[in-house]
Amino acid sequence: MGSKLRMTAVLGVSMLLAGVACAEDWQVAKDQDGIQVALSDIAGSKYKAYRGTTLIKAPLAKVRALQEDAAGACAWIHECKQQKLLKHEGDDAWTYTQFNTPIMVTPRDSVLKVTTAVSADGTVTRKLQGVPTYIPEEPGFVRVTQVEGYWRLTPKSADSTEVTYQVHTEPGGSVPSWVANKFVVDAPFETLKSLKALAEKP
C-alpha cells in the first residue's frame, strides 16, 4: 500500500473514532478469565464509560462475521432480548435492539448506526452511534437516548484477535444507581465472555 493510501486509511479510522465520548483516567474494575474491564467518568454524565478487552483465539474474519450477524449477535450480547438489522448501506448499518432489565426498571431499546472501517494493518473498527429517532419508539420500552463507542478487532496472528469494546450510554428515564453501576461492569465482561466462547468453538 502506498504511503498516501496508508495515510488515508489511518485518517479514516481516526475520524471514525473522533466522535466517541472522551474518557480518561481509566480504572480497572474487573480482571478475570482473560477479560479486563475498565471504567471512566464522562464529563456531564452520571453514567461511567466502560471498556473491555480480551484476546480471542480465533481469526479476525470469524470474530467479524459473528459481529456482523445482527440477529445472531443477540445470543452473546449481554441482556439482549432481540436484535435485527434495519438497513445496510456501504460501510454503514443500522440496528435495533431490545434489552432485558431488572423487574423494577422499564425495558430499554436502542437504535444504532454502525460504521465500519479497516486500517492498513487489517484492524477493523466498528463505530457505534446512537440514533434514537431513526425509527418510532416502541410501546413498553424506553429508548436509550445516547450511545457512543466502538468495537476494535486487531489481528495478532493468523488465529488470534485482540478485541476492545468501549461504550458510553445515557439509558434514558430513571435507572437506580446500583443497576447502572452493575451494568457498566457486567455488559462488557459478559458480552466479551460469550463472544470469546462462541468464536473459539472449533
Side-chain angles (χ1 to χ4, degrees):
M1 181 182 288
S3 59
K4 186 174 181 181
L5 185 57
R6 186 179 295 108
M7 181 60 71
T8 300
V10 171
L11 288 173
V13 174
S14 298
M15 291 177 66
L16 193 67
L17 296 178
V20 176
C22 183
E24 299 177 354
D25 299 324
W26 292 93
Q27 302 294 321
V28 175
K30 189 168 188 173
D31 194 342
Q32 183 181 319
D33 300 333
I35 300 166
Q36 186 178 91
V37 175
L39 305 179
S40 177
D41 292 327
I42 296 293
S45 175
K46 63 180 182 179
Y47 301 103
K48 293 179 181 291
Y50 59 77
R51 181 173 67 199
T53 57
T54 193
L55 183 69
I56 294 179
K57 296 176 182 177
L60 187 147
K62 184 176 183 181
V63 180
R64 181 176 179 177
L66 290 170
Q67 291 246 325
E68 293 181 345
D69 176 8
C74 199
W76 51 265
I77 294 173
H78 183 58
E79 296 294 5
C80 179
K81 179 182 180 181
Q82 173 190 335
Q83 181 166 270
K84 61 182 178 181
L85 179 67
L86 298 175
K87 183 181 178 181
H88 184 263
E89 188 176 88
D91 294 329
D92 296 327
W94 289 258
T95 61
Y96 172 73
T97 311
Q98 293 180 349
F99 296 96
N100 299 310
T101 55
I103 193 167
M104 74 292 295
V105 180
T106 305
R108 262 45 180 185
D109 65 2
S110 69
V111 185
L112 296 182
K113 179 182 179 183
V114 184
T115 303
T116 301
V118 182
S119 64
D121 68 353
T123 295
V124 175
T125 302
R126 306 181 73 231
K127 179 186 175 185
L128 311 176
Q129 179 185 356
V131 283
T133 59
Y134 187 76
I135 60 173
E137 293 187 8
E138 291 283 336
F141 288 85
V142 172
R143 180 67 46 86
V144 174
T145 58
Q146 181 182 334
V147 179
E148 286 188 86
Y150 64 86
W151 283 94
R152 185 169 60 231
L153 315 179
T154 305
K156 289 299 180 181
S157 69
D159 57 359
S160 66
T161 308
E162 183 181 77
V163 179
T164 301
Y165 175 39
Q166 180 176 320
V167 174
H168 175 249
T169 300
E170 293 290 342
S174 177
V175 178
S177 59
W178 71 267
V179 173
N181 291 336
K182 187 172 187 298
F183 178 81
V184 294
V185 175
D186 288 352
F189 182 81
E190 298 297 338
T191 295
L192 287 172
K193 184 177 180 180
S194 297
L195 175 61
K196 183 181 175 76
L198 191 58
E200 292 182 350
K201 275 187 176 181

